[in-house]
Amino acid sequence: NGLQDYEPIKTIVVPFATGSSALGPKGKAIIDEAQAWVKTQDTKGWMISIIGFADSTGNTAKNKTLSEKRANAVIGYLVTKYNMPLTRLVQPFGAGVDMPAATNTTAAGRAQNRRVEIKLLLNKGIAGD
């Protein structure tokens, strides 16, 4: 029936400050821009996956918790500002230091790893593809 088949449409990366799960003005602006883009699409069956990440600085267990809090901050923003239905949300996840986007040996790389990825997905079973 295709309900387990998802096609990625777009990935939005929301940055976070070191040790913080607070969604800053830059992160909110990125989400606002993505929301505006989504409104222009006539897509039936869209879902979103939200995954939080951390850099390798500090304790691994704390980074796991921090990445979960980052994902929840993005979800909270989407739900409160845009009234996003939770039924559109694929199980959120905090990946901690797993799956880095860049090296953790440089400040620039660590900054890229402190993020939440919002993945817009098309559920093929709902969309009828």
Side-chain angles (χ1 to χ4, degrees), residues 7-26:
E7 178 182 332
I9 299 171
K10 186 176 183 89
T11 299
I12 296 99
V13 178
V14 181
F16 281 83
T18 303
S20 175
S21 62
L23 192 55
K26 183 178 180 180

mmCIF file of all heavy atoms in Angstrom, residues 7-26:
data_model
loop_
_atom_site.group_PDB
_atom_site.id
_atom_site.type_symbol
_atom_site.label_atom_id
_atom_site.label_comp_id
_atom_site.label_asym_id
_atom_site.label_seq_id
_atom_site.Cartn_x
_atom_site.Cartn_y
_atom_site.Cartn_z
ATOM 1 N N GLU A 7 9.352 9.509 0.021
ATOM 2 C CA GLU A 7 10.265 10.135 -0.927
ATOM 3 C C GLU A 7 10.684 11.487 -0.340
ATOM 4 O O GLU A 7 9.831 12.321 -0.017
ATOM 5 C CB GLU A 7 9.558 10.352 -2.256
ATOM 6 C CG GLU A 7 10.412 11.040 -3.289
ATOM 7 C CD GLU A 7 9.647 11.271 -4.579
ATOM 8 O OE1 GLU A 7 8.730 10.497 -4.887
ATOM 9 O OE2 GLU A 7 9.976 12.242 -5.265
ATOM 10 N N PRO A 8 11.984 11.720 -0.161
ATOM 11 C CA PRO A 8 12.417 13.016 0.374
ATOM 12 C C PRO A 8 12.137 14.141 -0.620
ATOM 13 O O PRO A 8 12.385 13.996 -1.819
ATOM 14 C CB PRO A 8 13.919 12.842 0.596
ATOM 15 C CG PRO A 8 14.307 11.610 -0.130
ATOM 16 C CD PRO A 8 13.080 10.815 -0.421
ATOM 17 N N ILE A 9 11.581 15.236 -0.127
ATOM 18 C CA ILE A 9 11.274 16.399 -0.947
ATOM 19 C C ILE A 9 12.309 17.502 -0.720
ATOM 20 O O ILE A 9 12.808 18.102 -1.653
ATOM 21 C CB ILE A 9 9.863 16.937 -0.639
ATOM 22 C CG1 ILE A 9 8.816 15.881 -0.931
ATOM 23 C CG2 ILE A 9 9.589 18.222 -1.414
ATOM 24 C CD1 ILE A 9 7.424 16.260 -0.454
ATOM 25 N N LYS A 10 12.612 17.757 0.555
ATOM 26 C CA LYS A 10 13.498 18.869 0.906
ATOM 27 C C LYS A 10 14.023 18.640 2.317
ATOM 28 O O LYS A 10 13.317 18.118 3.167
ATOM 29 C CB LYS A 10 12.703 20.170 0.824
ATOM 30 C CG LYS A 10 13.488 21.445 1.020
ATOM 31 C CD LYS A 10 12.558 22.641 0.817
ATOM 32 C CE LYS A 10 13.278 23.936 0.926
ATOM 33 N NZ LYS A 10 13.827 24.416 -0.327
ATOM 34 N N THR A 11 15.263 19.061 2.583
ATOM 35 C CA THR A 11 15.836 19.023 3.923
ATOM 36 C C THR A 11 16.180 20.447 4.344
ATOM 37 O O THR A 11 16.831 21.174 3.599
ATOM 38 C CB THR A 11 17.106 18.145 3.973
ATOM 39 O OG1 THR A 11 16.745 16.807 3.609
ATOM 40 C CG2 THR A 11 17.712 18.131 5.362
ATOM 41 N N ILE A 12 15.720 20.829 5.522
ATOM 42 C CA ILE A 12 15.985 22.150 6.088
ATOM 43 C C ILE A 12 16.868 21.944 7.307
ATOM 44 O O ILE A 12 16.562 21.118 8.175
ATOM 45 C CB ILE A 12 14.674 22.857 6.487
ATOM 46 C CG1 ILE A 12 13.809 23.121 5.253
ATOM 47 C CG2 ILE A 12 14.955 24.163 7.211
ATOM 48 C CD1 ILE A 12 12.742 22.126 5.051
ATOM 49 N N VAL A 13 17.971 22.682 7.394
ATOM 50 C CA VAL A 13 18.899 22.557 8.512
ATOM 51 C C VAL A 13 18.768 23.792 9.396
ATOM 52 O O VAL A 13 18.927 24.922 8.937
ATOM 53 C CB VAL A 13 20.350 22.403 8.014
ATOM 54 C CG1 VAL A 13 21.308 22.316 9.183
ATOM 55 C CG2 VAL A 13 20.477 21.166 7.132
ATOM 56 N N VAL A 14 18.479 23.555 10.677
ATOM 57 C CA VAL A 14 18.302 24.627 11.658
ATOM 58 C C VAL A 14 19.501 24.588 12.622
ATOM 59 O O VAL A 14 19.702 23.591 13.316
ATOM 60 C CB VAL A 14 16.985 24.448 12.439
ATOM 61 C CG1 VAL A 14 16.790 25.568 13.444
ATOM 62 C CG2 VAL A 14 15.806 24.352 11.478
ATOM 63 N N PRO A 15 20.307 25.659 12.674
ATOM 64 C CA PRO A 15 21.501 25.665 13.532
ATOM 65 C C PRO A 15 21.168 25.994 14.994
ATOM 66 O O PRO A 15 20.159 26.653 15.279
ATOM 67 C CB PRO A 15 22.353 26.780 12.917
ATOM 68 C CG PRO A 15 21.351 27.732 12.354
ATOM 69 C CD PRO A 15 20.202 26.878 11.877
ATOM 70 N N PHE A 16 22.050 25.539 15.885
ATOM 71 C CA PHE A 16 21.920 25.821 17.315
ATOM 72 C C PHE A 16 23.264 26.248 17.877
ATOM 73 O O PHE A 16 24.318 25.856 17.359
ATOM 74 C CB PHE A 16 21.417 24.583 18.069
ATOM 75 C CG PHE A 16 19.943 24.363 17.932
ATOM 76 C CD1 PHE A 16 19.424 23.721 16.825
ATOM 77 C CD2 PHE A 16 19.065 24.809 18.900
ATOM 78 C CE1 PHE A 16 18.061 23.525 16.668
ATOM 79 C CE2 PHE A 16 17.693 24.626 18.760
ATOM 80 C CZ PHE A 16 17.199 23.974 17.651
ATOM 81 N N ALA A 17 23.231 27.009 18.958
ATOM 82 C CA ALA A 17 24.442 27.447 19.645
ATOM 83 C C ALA A 17 24.990 26.299 20.501
ATOM 84 O O ALA A 17 24.263 25.361 20.859
ATOM 85 C CB ALA A 17 24.141 28.657 20.527
ATOM 86 N N THR A 18 26.242 26.380 20.830
ATOM 87 C CA THR A 18 26.896 25.372 21.665
ATOM 88 C C THR A 18 26.146 25.187 22.981
ATOM 89 O O THR A 18 25.841 26.160 23.680
ATOM 90 C CB THR A 18 28.350 25.793 21.976
ATOM 91 O OG1 THR A 18 29.031 25.997 20.744
ATOM 92 C CG2 THR A 18 29.075 24.746 22.793
ATOM 93 N N GLY A 19 25.838 23.947 23.298
ATOM 94 C CA GLY A 19 25.213 23.608 24.576
ATOM 95 C C GLY A 19 23.785 24.096 24.742
ATOM 96 O O GLY A 19 23.236 24.024 25.830
ATOM 97 N N SER A 20 23.161 24.591 23.687
ATOM 98 C CA SER A 20 21.836 25.192 23.804
ATOM 99 C C SER A 20 20.791 24.425 22.998
ATOM 100 O O SER A 20 21.068 23.925 21.911
ATOM 101 C CB SER A 20 21.883 26.641 23.303
ATOM 102 O OG SER A 20 20.580 27.206 23.305
ATOM 103 N N SER A 21 19.585 24.388 23.564
ATOM 104 C CA SER A 21 18.454 23.837 22.818
ATOM 105 C C SER A 21 17.444 24.939 22.517
ATOM 106 O O SER A 21 16.345 24.662 22.044
ATOM 107 C CB SER A 21 17.791 22.707 23.615
ATOM 108 O OG SER A 21 17.282 23.197 24.838
ATOM 109 N N ALA A 22 17.835 26.193 22.779
ATOM 110 C CA ALA A 22 16.950 27.329 22.499
ATOM 111 C C ALA A 22 17.000 27.653 21.015
ATOM 112 O O ALA A 22 18.072 27.763 20.424
ATOM 113 C CB ALA A 22 17.367 28.540 23.318
ATOM 114 N N LEU A 23 15.847 27.826 20.444
ATOM 115 C CA LEU A 23 15.729 28.166 19.029
ATOM 116 C C LEU A 23 15.950 29.662 18.884
ATOM 117 O O LEU A 23 15.172 30.466 19.396
ATOM 118 C CB LEU A 23 14.339 27.761 18.538
ATOM 119 C CG LEU A 23 14.065 27.754 17.056
ATOM 120 C CD1 LEU A 23 15.070 26.879 16.312
ATOM 121 C CD2 LEU A 23 12.659 27.244 16.798
ATOM 122 N N GLY A 24 17.035 30.040 18.221
ATOM 123 C CA GLY A 24 17.391 31.445 18.067
ATOM 124 C C GLY A 24 16.685 32.095 16.886
ATOM 125 O O GLY A 24 15.987 31.429 16.109
ATOM 126 N N PRO A 25 16.899 33.415 16.709
ATOM 127 C CA PRO A 25 16.264 34.144 15.611
ATOM 128 C C PRO A 25 16.616 33.576 14.230
ATOM 129 O O PRO A 25 15.756 33.502 13.348
ATOM 130 C CB PRO A 25 16.798 35.567 15.754
ATOM 131 C CG PRO A 25 17.286 35.673 17.150
ATOM 132 C CD PRO A 25 17.666 34.290 17.582
ATOM 133 N N LYS A 26 17.862 33.158 14.031
ATOM 134 C CA LYS A 26 18.272 32.596 12.742
ATOM 135 C C LYS A 26 17.521 31.295 12.463
ATOM 136 O O LYS A 26 17.036 31.067 11.352
ATOM 137 C CB LYS A 26 19.778 32.358 12.716
ATOM 138 C CG LYS A 26 20.294 31.834 11.390
ATOM 139 C CD LYS A 26 21.797 31.663 11.388
ATOM 140 C CE LYS A 26 22.289 31.133 10.062
ATOM 141 N NZ LYS A 26 23.743 30.970 10.045
#
